[in-house]
Every structure is written in C-alpha cells, then in structure tokens.
C-alpha cells in the first residue's frame, strides 16, 4: 500500500462536525456584519509580490508564501543571481506572486484600485483565509481565517462606538464572556511627552503592560536600563499604579498629561467613545487600559483588544484607528478604523467551553431506512417531497442490514428515522421513530411533511 | 504617486454587489446540499506536491501553482540540478507544496487519511476555490470556485437518481433553464465492442458527438482516418442517426449492442436511473445522450452534464460514477459518484440573463441621516435597537450635507431613510421615508422597530 497521505504542517482538514461548528462562528459574525451595514468584498488568494512586500516588515517578507513563476522560471535568473547568496533578490526573480498574508493590505490595494467605484464612507467586511510561513505551534496555523470589518473615509468617532457595539453583539451571540480593552494612541504619546521622554513611547508602554506581572521595582529598573531619567520614572509612577473606574483612571491620566495637547485630545476621544458605547447599553465589560499598545506603529487613535475571560488564550479580536491606510499605494489622507475577529481563536474558545448550540450536532432531520427496491422507491419519493418542503432528509442508499442502517442513523445524529417496510409499503404508511425519546408512530406517507416539519 | 496597484492576471476582486450575487448562488447550492444530506468538509488550499503531482496528467502537472519552500530554498539544489535544464526535477527541489487544482484529489486524500473516522456511505460536499495556471481568457480564471457533492462507499444507483434530483432542485431554484444530458460509460464500451472496435471508444464517441455539426459523411470520413473498418462504420450508422424519445433511443442502442454484456449492463443502469428520476417528478429536461463522454477515462458508469438552454456557455455542471477514487492513495475498491456545480459559469449565466432576485440590490434596510452630535446620539440608539431586533440599519457617521447623505442612501439602495432632525429630536420622533414610493411618515422613535420590520 502507498504511504498514507498527509497535509502540509500547520494546515488542517475540517470534518463535517468541525465545519458545522466553524460555520456557526462564521455565520454569526457574517450576519452581524450585515446587520451593522458592512458590505462584503473578496480579493484573490494570490497578490502580486509588489503589493505585499515591504508591508509587514522584514520578518513579514520572510513569512510570505511565494508562488514559483509558471513555465520557465529560470528565464530571468543568471548564475550570478544564484551564486550571490542573496535569497530575497533571487526570490523576486523566481516569483511574481505571493499568498495573502492578511486582509488589510489587500483591502488597501482594493480601495486604491477601485476608488472611482467606491462610495465613501466605505464600510467593508471580508472573511477569507490568510497564509503565513510561521513556525506552526499550538493555536498557530499556516492557514487561518480572518474576519475583518473596516470603515474608511470617515473620521467620526461614531465608527469606533459602532465597532464596540459590533463586538458586544457578536460576543453576546456566541455567549463568550469577554473584556473589551480600549486605549488611544494619542494618550500613549501624551504620557511620553508629559514625562519628557517623547521618543520612548514603546518602552514606556511595555513597562505599563508589565506592572501586574513583575511589580513596580522591576519595571522601574527596566525603564532605567532603557535610559529613562529618574524624574521621568517618578512622573510615570502614578500611571503605573493607576486603578479605579474608567472615568477615574481617565481623570488621573488627564491630570498628568494635561500639558500635552495630543494627549488631551486622546483623553477626549476616549471619553466620547466610552460614553457613546455606554449610552447604547451593552452586555460585555469594557475597560480603559493605558497599557494596551497593540500595533503601536500602525494605530493613530483608538486601540481595541478583546480578551476572553474564561479561557487563557490572549486576544481573540482587536483593531483600531489608523490614519493612512492607502498611503503606501499612493493615495493619502484616507482615515480608517476597523476590527478583526480571530475566528480560529474564537473556535478554540468555543471548543474549550463547549458553547455550541445543540442543533449543530446532527446531519439531516430524517433518515429513511432502505428495505429493498420497491420500498426504497416509495421512500425516495417521500424524501424528495420532504426536501421540496425544506426539510432535510435522506434515504440510506443500500438495502443493508437494518442494524447497520440504524447505527448509521445514530452516528449521524439524525432526529427521526423513518421506516417504509413491506407492511408500510402495502398500506401507503410510514413508521416514524423519534431518536431523542425513542417514541414511534405509524402515519400515512402523505402526512410525513406535517409531522417532520 | 505610486503606480496604481493591480492583481495577478486571471484573478478577480469581487465588489459588494458582485458578492451579493455570488453569495446568492453559493447559498442556494449549499442549502440544497444540506437539504439532501451531504455534509461539508474543507481541505487546505495548499497540499503536498506528492499528493497533487501525476493526478491530472502531464499538462495538469504544469498547471499546478507551486509554492517556493520557505527559508533557504536552495539548500538541496546543486549546480547540476540548475544546469540540467530539467525544470520539473528542479521544481521538486524548490517546492514541496502546491495549490489545490480541484476538489476531487483533496477529497480522495481526505477519505484515505481519515478513513477510520468516516461513516460509510459518506455524502460529502465541498465549496472552495481552486487554482490553475491556465492561460486566462473569457470565462476562464486562474482562481475559481468548485462546488462538489459526492457519495463514496455505495454502489446503489439511487445515488445517481438523487444527484439528478439535486441538479433539478438547484437549477429550478436559480431559475436556469437547462437540459441534463446523461449517458453511461458502459454503453460506450458496449458500442465499441458491438461494432468490433473495442479499443476505439474515444474515437467513436468523438464521432457521435460531431454528427450534428459536420454531418454523417464527414464523421464517417474521420472514422475511416482513425482506422475503423467499413463494416464497423456501417454498424455504427444507426447510432449516429439515433432519434426519438429516451426510451426509443435506449431500445435502439440496446438492439445494436445486445451482444455486449457490459453494454447491456449500461442500458439497464441508464433505464433504472432515468425511471427513478422520472418517478420523483422533475422540472428540468433530461436526455439520454450517447455522445456524452465527459472525462471518459475517469468515469465508469453514469455520466452527467448540464447545459444551459438560454445562454451559449457549454457545460455548467457535470459529474458521474467512478470506481476507484482512492486507488492512487493505496485504498482500492471505493466506488463513488458525484457532481460539480460550476459556480463561475452559473454566475455568468445569471449575469447574462439577469436572473437575480430584486432584494439583492441594497445594503441595509434603513439608513439614518446624521444631523449633528445630539441627534446622531439618539439615532445611534435607534439603530442599535433595530439591529437587536434583527433589522439591518446604519447611521451615516458624519454630519455631512443632507444632499450628500441622501445620495449615499440612493447609491447604496437602502429601502428606508430615517431622519431624526432638531424637531424630531425634541419630540422623540423620527421621520421615515420609503425610498421605493417616496412616501413619508413621522412616528415615535419607539415605534421604529415595528414599522421597519
């Protein structure tokens, strides 16, 4: 026998049961996107490497899957190219195309390419797989789905409020307990400015983030190492020790950074977004978290990150405001704000907590047992009528042993087994067995649609 | 300004309007698959090249998109490999993975890899894109979707009947007029045997196929060229001139091939399938077509091909019975039968005939005009309540000129525009404009859900 076939590491097959679960997640997110007025687009799996390269940093360039040119791929390659040892340069000659690495760069490319056909503000959503040549590990795959919603062409903070509301809606539907952490890049800039270390935003944010894990003394030691002055460290202290309600924390930060114009703008934005969200009413917790720095060099305003409360898994959704989505493609001045639901992480959360609805388990509603040619013909007609009435049904295709067919019905999790045996065939009846409670009744074949609907 | 970005040739972006249309097609097919008891699986976009190579012929190997190995892709490549000019061998060293070329080989790989977890008979469906490095041309893309349904592990002809019923169901739902052409590989073998030219099945089938286009004399000339004897050509004549109803045609063929055991088995199978389909009642035409030879070397029993009647486009769906799906992966004896809906061709047909339902055109049901901060807040609360009630709605995020907002509402095709201006804000009311008939009414904000549902 040939070697058992396998799939590339970091990729997955999804069985019918897994697909039912994943569809439940994707359908929930997709329905919410539509309800909120986001409109779907799709872009090709393959993009030109010129579109992708240089957008994700040097490390990202390496993690792109590149597609070997078709035909004579050595055409433009010289011996010098090969001997130079310059793999990136050689790659460029061997490959023109790469696989999508995220949905943001293709979206930016889409907006620029189709800008004459797009109504602004453009609320788009996109649910497609992306590919990264990352080292596979638990919870990290080389092929995984992203579910992105973005608004471009509007500076209004109502977009941020709406995105928080969207997160609240989706997480409530999926019954995942979460805390939505929010921050604003301008506040982080303001803090750095206010303590006289405007160029050390990253170091300061990392320090704030670590306070719970390593304590104030270790954080301060690290800050010293990074070259922060003693007076800066002293002035940062109240922020590191921040507690209380969101509005208390915002007020405390505001007091410290009152001299920073941009910082105070950040405070004002944060208050507007939180007030707007509160006025809609919501089920999920939301928390102002000045340590949140997700994609620091990318986001320019609000930053959002969602953490599941009942599973240790890190961020399951995140996003924020960026001011120059399409600048790299030559169109500047387009502000946007968006979030990305991590469908694969959400899948892991729902699996861990078994939060799936009961009805996902089965295949068809009614399975008809096959008692041989004539009976099967009558059964097939009933099955066909049920389907026309919108009731999923199937006939076991072979006249196998009844026990085997019943085992199949059990394994598939069908709700009803319908039997048209010799007796029923003669009388134009059918015996319906409810697989949940084991009850049985014999009815006329024409009544099946009413009974099984 | 940077060069306007583009996408690889043969690939496509899909706009919100195009997505709505495509989703209509995919949803119709997916719902039908589920109703009929097929269960969904998904496989990775990337497969090991060892899984894909050699499965689609030499030409197919060339049309596979191959993925350059990550990291030092020259590691295993010697100067000899490069200088040899043996590109396929070099490709194997540069690339371990390739993109899915169809859904059948990944399905076969799936069945073998997971055979211990699969209930037989296994009715699976799969809707995913595939990639081929074909020369792009009108209606032929390098990335396109396939929608496949197959049953493996059952020899019963009821499966064939069910697949015809499935085609009938889907085409009726999509309102496409089609003719379902059916044939049986065993009949083709029988004809070749009966006229004493058992090794010339392909030539004979091609000849039968051409009769309408080039006439009997030219067909016979071609057959002579292929080396058929005069007596064989004479004996084939009645099949070339076949007409009448399906049962008349079947009887005529049966008479000619009565000496071929396999041929008569094919006639019997064809009759069983057509009778079974007729007994269910159907809307689409079905026709026994002895010239149908789709995938001749692959199919072993029933062959199915669906042609749209109102658009010149060729086959839009096809399939058949194959006897050894998984043999290449070392598991033999698994018979299967399946069909593949050509979603991109169906999309072209629906576009050509504009067969889309009216309701696909718009985005949200209700767009709220933004009259400034306070009014927008009240509007946002109404929007949020509508969404919780399952009604899609959005607020224009910026307090732009009313004219601009109304233009946006028109372009997006919303059904209702809702205005909460200064007056309405004061009174807790909202003015609802029906965009279809232009009528307006002012109601209390709490009534909006009832009015817009």
């Amino acid at each position: 026998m040939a070697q058992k076939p396998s799939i590339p590491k970091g990729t997955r097959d999804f069985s019918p049961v897994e697909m039912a679960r994943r569809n439940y997640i994707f359908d929930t997110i997709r329905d919410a996107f539509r309800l909120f007025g986001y409109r779907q687009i799709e872009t090709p799996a393959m993009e030109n490497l010129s579109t992708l390269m240089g957008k994700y940093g040097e490390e990202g360039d390496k993690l792109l899957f590149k597609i070997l040119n078709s035909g004579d791929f050595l055409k433009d390659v010289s011996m010098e190219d090969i001997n130079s040892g310059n793999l990136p340069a050689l790659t460029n000659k061997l490959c023109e195309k790469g696989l999508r690495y995220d949905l943001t760069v293709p979206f930016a490319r889409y907006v620029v390419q189709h800008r004459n056909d797009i109504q602004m503000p453009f609320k788009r959503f996109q649910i497609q797989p992306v590919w990264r040549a990352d080292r596979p590990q638990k919870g990290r795959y080389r092929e995984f789905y992203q579910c992105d919603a973005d608004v471009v062409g509007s500076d209004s903070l109502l977009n941020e409020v709406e995105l928080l509301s969207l997160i609240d809606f989706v997480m409530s539907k999926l019954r995942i307990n979460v805390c939505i952490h929010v921050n604003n890049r301008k506040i982080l800039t303001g803090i750095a400015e206010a303590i006289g270390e405007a160029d050390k935003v990253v170091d300061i944010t990392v320090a704030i983030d670590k306070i719970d894990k390593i304590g104030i003394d270790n954080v301060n030691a690290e800050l010293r190492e990074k070259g922060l002055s003693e007076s800066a460290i002293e002035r940062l202290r109240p922020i590191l020790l921040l507690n209380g309600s969101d509005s208390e924390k915002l007020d405390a930060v505001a007091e410290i950074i009152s001299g920073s114009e941009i910082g105070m703008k950040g405070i004002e934005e944060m208050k507007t977004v939180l007030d707007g969200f509160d006025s809609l009413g919501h089920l999920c917790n939301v928390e102002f978290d000045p340590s949140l720095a997700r994609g620091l060099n990318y986001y320019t305003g609000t930053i959002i990150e969602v953490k599941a409360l009942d599973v240790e898994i890190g961020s399951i959704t995140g996003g924020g405001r960026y001011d120059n989505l399409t600048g790299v493609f030559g169109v500047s001045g387009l502000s946007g704000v968006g979030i990305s639901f991590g469908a694969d992480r959400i899948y892991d959360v729902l699996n861990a907590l078994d939060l799936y609805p009961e009805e996902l388990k089965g295949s068809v509603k009614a399975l008809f047992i096959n008692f041989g040619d004539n009976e099967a013909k009558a059964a097939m007609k009933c099955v066909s009528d049920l389907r026309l009435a919108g009731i999923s049904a199937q006939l076991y295709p072979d006249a196998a042993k009844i026990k085997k067919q019943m085992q199949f019905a059990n394994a598939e999790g069908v709700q009803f087994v319908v039997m048209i045996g010799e007796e029923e065939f003669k009388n134009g009846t059918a015996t319906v067995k409810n697989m949940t409670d084991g009850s049985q009744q014999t009815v006329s074949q024409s009544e099946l649609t009413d009974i099984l609907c």
Side-chain angles (χ1 to χ4, degrees), chain A:
Chain A
M1 186 185 129
Q3 209 193 332
K4 194 171 171 179
S6 63
I7 50 177
K9 61 179 179 184
T11 69
R12 292 164 290 173
D13 283 328
F14 295 108
S15 71
V17 171
E18 289 166 329
M19 280 308 298
R21 294 174 162 200
R22 291 175 69 81
N23 283 331
Y24 165 66
I25 296 169
F26 288 122
D27 291 346
T28 302
I29 295 173
R30 193 184 297 112
D31 290 349
F33 284 165
R34 288 189 183 137
L35 208 52
F36 279 63
Y38 295 86
R39 306 194 72 186
Q40 189 171 16
I41 68 163
E42 280 189 4
T43 62
M46 297 185 282
E47 293 274 353
N48 292 320
L49 278 179
S50 57
T51 299
L52 301 176
M53 296 287 280
K55 309 302 190 299
Y56 308 104
E58 209 176 310
E59 192 55 25
D61 283 352
K62 281 188 202 154
L63 298 184
L64 288 169
F65 280 111
K66 289 139 197 129
I67 293 162
L68 191 68
N69 292 338
S70 304
D72 182 3
F73 53 82
L74 288 180
K75 205 175 52 198
D76 298 326
V77 177
S78 68
M79 272 303 149
E80 225 180 334
D81 293 325
I82 291 167
N83 291 325
S84 72
N86 185 346
L87 289 177
L90 181 55
T91 303
N92 269 337
K93 296 203 165 180
L94 291 171
C95 306
E96 277 175 5
K97 295 182 283 291
L99 292 180
R100 188 167 55 218
Y101 181 88
D102 72 0
L103 301 180
T104 305
V105 167
F107 174 49
R109 194 263 313 142
Y110 179 97
V111 168
V112 172
Q113 194 175 329
H114 303 281
R115 62 186 179 280
N116 295 330
D117 307 316
I118 292 174
Q119 284 283 324
M120 293 290 177
F122 183 37
K123 292 171 74 169
R124 91 85 171 75
F125 83 84
Q126 192 169 354
I127 300 181
Q128 292 193 277
V130 301
W131 295 270
R132 297 182 185 178
D134 247 325
R135 197 132 57 103
Q137 55 186 59
K138 192 178 174 311
R140 192 201 281 165
Y141 306 103
R142 290 186 148 193
E143 174 179 58
F144 60 97
Y145 270 82
Q146 292 193 332
C147 309
D148 285 19
D150 291 78
V151 193
V152 289
S154 167
D155 293 328
S156 167
L157 294 171
L158 286 171
N159 297 302
E160 274 86 337
V161 172
E162 183 171 73
L163 286 171
L164 292 180
S165 182
L166 175 61
I167 292 169
D168 185 56
F169 188 92
V170 169
M171 295 302 162
S172 304
K173 283 269 173 196
L174 294 174
R175 299 189 293 148
I176 305 177
N177 287 321
V178 298
C179 180
I180 309 174
H181 296 252
V182 291
N183 194 9
N184 191 300
R185 174 64 163 90
K186 297 186 178 87
I187 296 177
L188 292 173
T189 306
I191 293 172
E193 277 184 16
I195 66 169
E197 302 276 5
D199 58 332
K200 296 223 162 57
V201 180
V202 177
D203 295 331
I204 294 165
T205 313
V206 169
I208 305 177
D209 183 41
K210 283 189 172 174
I211 183 77
D212 284 346
K213 284 170 226 140
I214 65 174
I216 182 101
D217 292 341
N218 290 316
V219 163
N220 285 346
E222 277 194 16
L223 289 172
R224 261 173 223 119
E225 228 170 83
K226 299 284 181 186
L228 261 77
S229 71
E230 284 306 320
S231 78
I233 290 175
E234 193 49 43
R235 268 179 287 174
L236 188 60
R237 192 179 177 85
I239 287 175
L240 293 177
L241 299 176
L242 217 55
N243 59 39
S245 71
D246 281 355
S247 75
E248 285 167 351
K249 284 194 279 185
L250 277 166
D251 288 343
V253 173
E255 211 178 296
I256 297 161
I257 68 174
S258 60
S260 163
E261 194 183 331
I262 190 166
M264 290 310 286
K265 178 96 172 83
I267 297 281
E268 193 195 314
E269 287 184 8
M270 195 77 277
K271 282 186 172 169
T272 304
V273 170
L274 287 171
D275 285 352
F277 185 47
D278 281 340
S279 72
L280 297 182
H282 51 86
L283 295 164
C284 299
N285 298 318
V286 63
E287 188 184 329
F288 166 59
D289 177 356
S291 76
L292 183 62
R294 189 188 165 84
L296 194 61
N297 296 314
Y298 181 63
Y299 294 123
T300 53
T302 301
I303 306 172
I304 301 168
E305 190 162 272
V306 181
K307 286 180 183 154
L309 295 177
D310 305 326
V311 184
E312 278 287 340
I313 199 161
S315 160
I316 59 173
T317 290
R321 164 77 65 175
Y322 40 86
D323 267 350
N324 197 1
L325 174 70
T326 53
V328 286
F329 296 116
V331 173
S332 55
L334 260 190
S335 178
V337 57
I339 55 167
S340 182
F341 287 91
D344 283 281
R345 288 247 174 117
I346 290 173
Y347 178 62
D348 289 343
V349 170
L350 294 195
N351 283 339
L353 303 174
D354 195 15
L355 289 178
Y356 296 103
E358 194 58 29
E359 66 266 23
L360 291 187
K361 287 179 181 161
S363 61
V364 288
K365 193 157 191 184
L367 178 91
F368 284 64
I369 301 290
N370 190 324
F371 286 91
D373 281 357
N374 287 329
E375 292 85 350
K377 230 179 204 173
M380 195 71 190
K381 177 70 179 147
C382 294
V383 164
S384 183
D385 290 342
L386 286 173
R387 289 167 177 167
L388 287 174
I391 300 163
S392 65
Q394 67 174 320
L395 167 65
Y396 194 92
D398 305 283
K401 288 215 175 82
I402 307 303
K403 194 180 164 195
K404 190 181 170 191
Q405 297 189 50
M406 289 303 289
Q407 279 169 348
F408 180 86
N410 268 319
E412 294 275 293
V414 304
Q415 289 177 55
F416 296 95
V417 165
V418 183
M419 287 162 284
I420 300 179
E422 203 184 336
E423 198 58 29
E424 287 94 345
F425 178 69
K426 255 192 281 175
N427 303 332
T429 57
T431 300
V432 180
K433 179 172 182 177
N434 181 324
M435 296 296 276
T436 315
D437 61 15
S439 65
Q440 268 189 216
Q441 57 176 323
T442 299
V443 300
S444 96
Q445 287 168 17
S446 57
E447 290 175 292
L448 281 173
T449 305
D450 289 336
I451 284 168
L452 297 174
C453 71

